[in-house]
Amino acid sequence: MQDELERRIDQLEEIIFKLEEKIALLESDVRLHLKRYLIACPVCHKEFDLLVNHYSIGLFDNLVHVKCPHCNKSMPVVDQENGGVRLVID
């Protein structure tokens, strides 16, 4: 009976280690995807999230603008081929 319990505990520990590896991989993927929407303001150089701080303006140019939550600088953003976005700094 004790041998079977020890074997079962070893099996459960293996499963836990595999799950921990999968969780670490998922966490790194999530961080990678979220990082593409973080950007530093060109004025105050503080980093902020584009998804939280965007607002849409303009009917004809279809630009999306973001406003820095720290210094309130308004900047247009455009999408990139890799699914990310970048600020238009002109």
Side-chain angles (χ1 to χ4, degrees):
M1 179 75 171
Q2 186 170 350
D3 289 339
E4 186 173 332
L5 285 175
E6 288 177 0
R7 184 183 56 78
R8 184 67 178 144
I9 288 172
D10 290 340
Q11 287 176 344
L12 290 173
E13 285 178 342
E14 277 184 48
I15 292 171
I16 288 172
F17 290 135
K18 288 179 183 177
L19 288 173
E20 286 175 340
E21 290 174 0
K22 287 182 181 181
I23 289 171
L25 181 62
L26 287 172
E27 286 176 341
S28 68
D29 286 347
V30 167
R31 277 191 219 104
L32 179 66
H33 290 295
L34 290 177
K35 190 173 184 175
R36 67 183 176 172
Y37 295 112
L38 292 178
I39 197 150
C41 176
V43 176
C44 67
H45 305 290
K46 292 188 179 178
E47 197 173 66
F48 65 96
D49 185 355
L50 293 174
L51 295 176
V52 174
N53 297 290
H54 79 280
Y55 64 97
S56 181
I57 66 168
L59 297 174
F60 302 107
D61 55 5
N62 291 329
L63 286 177
V64 172
H65 284 65
V66 294
K67 188 177 279 192
C68 175
H70 306 287
C71 69
N72 288 326
K73 167 75 174 153
S74 179
M75 302 154 279
V77 292
V78 293
D79 62 340
Q80 295 178 322
E81 293 86 30
N82 63 1
V85 292
R86 69 174 175 84
L87 285 175
V88 178
I89 307 172
D90 291 338

